[in-house]
Amino acid sequence: MNLRFVYGCLLLFARITPALAQTPPPPIAIETEHISLVLTVGGNQKLYQTYLGAKLTEADKQLLPKPGPFDAYAPAPNEAYVPAGTDNLFEPAIRVVHADGNPGLALAFADVKTSQTGDNLTTTTVHLRDPVYPVDVLLHFAAYQKEDVIKTWTEIKHREKKPVVLTQYASAMLRLHAPHYWLTQLHGDWASEAKETQSELTSGLKVIDSKLGTRPSWYHTPSFLVALDKPATETSGEVLAGTLAWTGNFRLAFEVDNLNTLRMLPGINPYASEYTLPANQSFVTPEFIFTYSTTGKGQASRNLHRWARRQGGTLDGTQPRLTLLNNWETTYAKFTEPRLDSLIGDAAKLGVDLFLLDDGWFGNKFPRNNDKAGLGDWQPNKTKLPNGIGHLVQTATKADIKFGIWVEPEAVNPKSELYSKHPDWILRLPKRPEDLSRSQLVLDLNNPKVQDFVYNTVDGLLSQNVGYIKWDNCRMITNAYSQYLGKDQSHLYIGYVQGLYKVLGRLRQKYPHLPMMLCAGGGSRADYGALKYFTEFWTSDNTDAFERVFIQWGFLNFFPANTLASHVTNWNPQHTLKFRTDVAMMGKLGYDIDVAKLSADEQQFSQQVVKDYKRLSPVIWQGDLFRLRSPYEGNQVALMYVDEAQRNAVAFGYNLHTRFHEAVIPVKLQGLDPAKRYKVTEINLMPGQKSDLPAHGQTYSGDYLMKVGLLLSDGEAKQLTSHVLELTAE
Ligand code: GLA
């Protein structure tokens, strides 16, 4: 036998003996009412994921195979949070270059702490430690029992003599084991957000990421579904749904290895972001929020929705939202004070809670008359608004509604006073031409002075009794260079998001409940990192009702209806007002339409809709969503919301581009109480219009409605028509 080999074996034995001497602790179970994630410490003291799926009994958890064998050919494949540089063979969760240049990390189990908050939340922290270097990794898990959601994130710290460099830092590493995996992702572009695509994951690595910085989900969103074995349906199949709470560059990596195990690694995108971490400071990753359903995608969405509303995923998730009238598509940036006064009057007449003044109200030296000038100069334009914001707030108050306003405080047009006053506040490369997009550049939120500026801009508006903010951000980061960071640019992207969260955190301290809409040139900021601070988000600039069915459908996979700002507009006037209204009503209803130009019937219809929507909004905003027929599978789309008590429900049916003589088949409802009897009433009818649905005015048992169903379309299934049914238990 080769002597070097024997010597090597002895050394290895000496290294692992102390570890072997310890008895591994019992398996660590992170559980909700229906999910178990089991982590087990191996005989080698490393931590392994031994199970993730439907909840196991205590007895069955004991039967899970122990990690190992630890042979010389390949490391055991399911280490819980794989470090790079030692024995890893696939995509690692973490890579650390130590102060002495050693690029290898090993992680052994140190301890675990569990605590219980109330009867719903269990938090677990698993502490891993490098046996050689003073590096600690804490895996945090917050398990929400009733919502069946687990939130997980990672904390990295060390006590080395000099800083270490982190080049990979996933929020989590989770594994599934099945013959096949079907990934659903949301992707798109401006005005075509949240397109659902499903594909099979095969051997190798698939990465969905963003390098766009400030407008991260422009092309891809940090949310996904993975179905096991076969594509999941709404009501069947095992599915994991996950979403990363980060409003910046993200990376979702999916790797199917040689044993057909799927490793999922969601986290900040390490692209151009090597992170230098000084001793005794923590690097805390964003939260990854996931759920697991054995009854298809529908349950997975409902779990996430309930969690988002009740557990702080979105600000004030259980509180009412404001219906509104926005002026954007009516006036764009061309308006006068009297014109706005009259639009505020129209909002009140319509019956909505709020008038929202959009872009175009600011800038004096460089008036904001289009998107080419003025961004950064947040003083009201004296010609358009001679009496400032205060006057508009007063008009709204007199009309008994609230006043809200649009801002894009993270950006600057070169044609602005801010640009010449603070050139050092702008992200742009030295010695290179500026790279303008929508004629604007991004301010550097790494810089505390810029953070103060953004904070003061919004605070200044709020201190004038503005009751709502639409916070926009219409561009991505290119030409990335922070003058504030100087030589070390690698913290730019992460520091930007941290800076943004600092500002939002400060604002939330002063204005904890002020409703704010998140916008990014449409739906390009759609993540739970930002939604902690916002009540809703603008899903798309595209308000064509046909397109909106798809866009809202896509986002509803992960976000509850009360977060989806959905407005009735004139983007496509070919669609009837009723169709546009019925589509907007599946989300958080608003208007962006010239109310004065509506016919008398249309005005009457809309006033009634607003009243009905207010009555039904507790069901739409707080109820459970059941997607009944997908626009991806046919031309007749249906979905419904049911309140928790199963007393009230609202069902929506949309005929898209239906074919000539397309068969109309009853839709089986879901989520009702089979024993209750429900009165069915068609609402959103134009004045004088009679319902053409046979179910209108009838009463059925929940059992009947779920087994036999009802027609959600007239027999002709006319293109681009729709119906809304209210169900009320007797
Ligand atoms: C972006 C937003 C729109 C509108 C305009 C104003 O495109 O998405 O809703 O606010 O900016 O310029």
Side-chain angles (χ1 to χ4, degrees):
M1 198 187 288
N2 179 329
L3 267 183
R4 276 178 69 189
F5 176 73
V6 174
Y7 180 66
C9 287
L10 283 173
L11 263 185
L12 183 70
F13 185 69
R15 285 279 299 280
I16 61 177
T17 308
L20 288 177
Q22 293 174 29
T23 322
I28 303 162
I30 292 137
E31 293 180 311
T32 65
E33 277 180 10
H34 300 101
I35 306 173
S36 295
L37 166 65
V38 183
L39 305 175
T40 307
V41 180
N44 58 359
Q45 293 302 306
K46 289 186 181 183
L47 183 73
Y48 295 90
Q49 182 198 305
T50 41
Y51 182 77
L52 169 57
K55 184 129 177 204
L56 294 179
T57 62
E58 285 310 315
D60 286 351
K61 266 179 270 174
Q62 304 309 319
L63 299 177
L64 289 170
K66 302 276 171 286
F70 309 107
D71 67 33
Y73 290 101
N78 53 345
E79 194 176 341
Y81 192 75
V82 172
T86 41
D87 60 0
N88 166 55
L89 301 174
F90 293 95
E91 192 64 16
I94 178 171
R95 182 168 178 272
V96 175
V97 181
H98 299 280
D100 64 3
N102 184 332
L105 180 73
L107 291 174
F109 173 79
D111 62 61
V112 58
K113 289 198 177 77
T114 304
S115 67
Q116 189 77 31
T117 314
D119 60 354
N120 199 43
L121 174 62
T122 315
T123 45
T124 307
T125 300
V126 187
H127 181 176
L128 306 173
R129 179 176 284 157
D130 189 316
V132 177
Y133 286 85
V135 176
D136 296 277
V137 171
L138 304 172
L139 307 180
H140 295 282
F141 301 89
Y144 297 87
Q145 306 303 311
K146 291 197 188 79
E147 292 82 12
D148 277 321
V149 163
I150 299 175
K151 189 169 87 174
T152 173
W153 68 102
T154 297
E155 196 180 334
I156 304 159
K157 49 191 182 185
H158 72 95
R159 283 166 287 107
E160 297 198 14
K161 293 216 163 60
K162 289 195 179 140
V164 305
V165 178
L166 311 177
T167 67
Q168 264 170 284
Y169 27 74
S171 289
M173 183 164 196
L174 294 172
R175 287 182 184 68
L176 295 169
H177 207 189
H180 300 276
Y181 308 100
W182 290 88
L183 173 73
T184 302
Q185 61 189 96
L186 297 184
H187 62 101
D189 202 331
W190 175 76
S192 62
E193 288 88 343
K195 287 190 265 195
E196 267 183 52
T197 294
Q198 183 163 217
S199 55
E200 184 169 6
L201 290 167
T202 54
S203 182
L205 188 64
K206 166 148 182 147
V207 171
I208 297 171
D209 79 346
S210 169
K211 302 184 186 74
L212 301 167
T214 42
R215 203 180 164 184
S217 27
W218 190 355
Y219 302 134
H220 296 108
T221 72
S223 303
F224 67 89
L225 300 160
V226 171
L228 273 65
D229 299 333
K230 48 185 187 286
T233 72
E234 284 294 331
T235 51
S236 70
E238 297 200 31
V239 54
L240 181 143
T243 177
L244 186 76
W246 185 244
T247 318
N249 290 350
F250 64 84
R251 184 174 189 269
L252 309 173
F254 303 88
E255 189 167 32
V256 179
D257 69 13
N258 56 317
L259 302 174
N260 212 57
T261 303
L262 169 65
R263 296 138 184 260
M264 292 166 287
L265 292 142
I268 296 177
N269 194 342
Y271 163 75
S273 296
E274 293 198 341
Y275 200 89
T276 306
L277 184 67
N280 302 314
Q281 285 187 20
S282 284
F283 179 87
V284 182
T285 71
E287 293 157 352
F288 176 64
I289 298 135
F290 72 95
T291 183
Y292 192 92
S293 153
T294 52
T295 49
K297 295 187 280 190
Q299 189 59 49
S301 297
R302 288 188 287 281
N303 292 349
L304 289 178
H305 295 172
R306 282 180 173 220
W307 171 84
R309 290 189 304 250
R310 297 173 183 182
Q311 305 298 343
T314 174
L315 186 85
D316 287 340
T318 56
Q319 297 309 306
R321 296 330 197 203
L322 301 172
T323 53
L324 60 82
L325 175 69
N326 190 359
N327 70 311
W328 180 239
E329 288 189 26
T330 301
T331 64
Y332 294 102
K334 217 171 150 197
F335 49 76
T336 58
E337 191 178 83
R339 176 79 169 119
L340 293 182
D341 282 345
S342 113
L343 292 181
I344 292 173
D346 289 346
K349 203 159 122 197
L350 189 60
V352 294
D353 304 307
L354 167 89
F355 175 77
L356 170 61
L357 172 60
D358 215 285
D359 195 356
W361 58 268
F362 50 89
N364 283 298
K365 189 165 173 199
F366 300 96
R368 178 75 169 174
N369 293 326
N370 51 45
D371 61 16
K372 302 206 168 14
L375 269 189
D377 301 346
W378 297 105
Q379 298 75 36
N381 177 277
K382 291 199 173 110
T383 315
K384 290 188 207 177
L385 303 179
N387 300 300
I389 301 298
H391 168 85
L392 298 172
V393 173
Q394 259 179 20
T395 314
T397 312
K398 274 189 214 143
D400 204 18
I401 59 171
K402 289 190 166 33
F403 177 80
I405 203 160
W406 178 97
V407 271
E408 191 177 353
E410 300 162 66
V412 61
N413 285 127
K415 281 194 187 158
S416 69
E417 293 184 71
L418 183 74
Y419 179 90
S420 36
K421 256 196 234 153
H422 295 291
D424 53 321
W425 286 8
I426 298 166
L427 289 175
R428 58 181 170 186
L429 279 171
K431 300 186 195 161
R432 303 259 179 224
E434 282 174 347
D435 183 36
L436 298 180
S437 167
R438 196 165 123 134
S439 307
Q440 66 195 60
L441 295 162
V442 181
L443 293 177
D444 181 7
L445 271 171
N446 284 281
N447 185 337
K449 287 193 181 139
V450 177
Q451 293 169 16
D452 287 344
F453 169 77
V454 174
Y455 173 84
N456 290 330
T457 301
V458 180
D459 183 39
L461 289 168
L462 294 179
S463 61
Q464 297 177 67
N465 289 327
V466 164
Y468 180 95
I469 294 282
K470 175 177 176 185
W471 182 307
D472 206 346
N473 178 54
C474 288
R475 71 154 295 172
M476 61 295 169
I477 298 179
T478 54
N479 234 334
Y481 184 89
S482 156
Q483 298 170 75
Y484 173 76
L485 292 176
K487 271 200 184 135
D488 186 4
Q489 291 291 310
S490 66
H491 289 202
L492 184 150
Y493 287 108
I494 294 177
Y496 187 99
V497 182
Q498 289 168 339
L500 174 67
Y501 290 165
K502 260 191 211 159
V503 174
L504 292 168
R506 275 171 76 188
L507 285 167
R508 280 304 172 205
Q509 258 179 3
K510 189 159 175 192
Y511 307 97
H513 301 293
L514 184 106
M516 293 210 295
M517 184 206 287
L518 172 64
C519 177
S524 300
R525 269 182 172 172
D527 66 82
Y528 280 116
L531 274 176
K532 263 183 210 161
Y533 306 99
F534 289 85
T535 42
E536 61 228 53
F537 69 102
W538 184 229
T539 41
S540 180
D541 279 354
N542 189 340
T543 47
D544 172 298
F546 168 75
E547 295 293 338
R548 273 289 182 134
V549 169
F550 289 84
I551 293 169
Q552 292 166 193
W553 190 273
F555 281 128
L556 279 172
N557 279 295
F558 305 98
F559 304 100
N562 64 349
T563 63
L564 262 59
S566 313
H567 297 176
V568 179
T569 79
N570 258 335
W571 177 296
N572 186 346
Q574 309 283 319
H575 297 154
T576 62
L577 182 72
K578 171 170 168 56
F579 184 67
R580 286 178 266 160
T581 304
D582 290 358
V583 171
M585 199 164 162
M586 78 157 92
K588 199 221 123 193
L589 177 73
Y591 287 82
D592 189 351
I593 202 163
D594 194 345
V595 178
K597 286 200 179 139
L598 296 177
S599 68
D601 273 0
E602 287 176 332
Q603 289 199 11
Q604 196 188 325
F605 166 79
S606 303
Q607 285 162 342
Q608 187 58 44
V609 164
V610 172
K611 277 193 199 127
D612 287 343
Y613 184 75
K614 285 192 178 166
R615 180 166 44 79
L616 294 171
S617 57
V619 186
I620 298 171
W621 294 342
Q622 299 300 322
D624 276 329
L625 165 70
F626 294 86
R627 287 177 297 246
L628 307 171
R629 283 199 185 144
S630 164
Y632 289 92
E633 287 163 13
N635 296 317
Q636 296 173 40
V637 179
L639 57 82
M640 67 187 288
Y641 297 96
V642 184
D643 71 353
E644 202 174 1
Q646 294 171 301
R647 294 202 58 77
N648 300 294
V650 192
F652 297 86
Y654 306 106
N655 291 321
L656 303 183
H657 292 300
T658 37
R659 308 286 304 272
F660 180 66
H661 273 173
E662 184 167 311
V664 180
I665 296 160
V667 179
K668 291 179 186 166
L669 303 190
Q670 292 175 31
L672 300 172
D673 178 347
K676 287 199 173 89
R677 292 184 60 75
Y678 296 89
K679 168 115 198 265
V680 178
T681 313
E682 179 168 14
I683 57 167
N684 287 14
L685 293 165
M686 290 302 288
Q689 187 192 352
K690 293 236 156 27
S691 172
D692 48 19
L693 298 184
H696 173 66
Q698 305 295 317
T699 299
Y700 304 91
S701 70
D703 198 45
Y704 178 94
L705 292 167
M706 293 193 289
K707 286 181 179 158
V708 182
L710 46 72
L711 293 176
L712 266 173
S713 167
D714 65 281
E716 289 177 55
K718 282 193 282 301
Q719 287 208 351
L720 305 170
T721 59
S722 50
H723 294 83
V724 182
L725 294 183
E726 179 177 356
L727 284 84
T728 317
E730 283 180 342

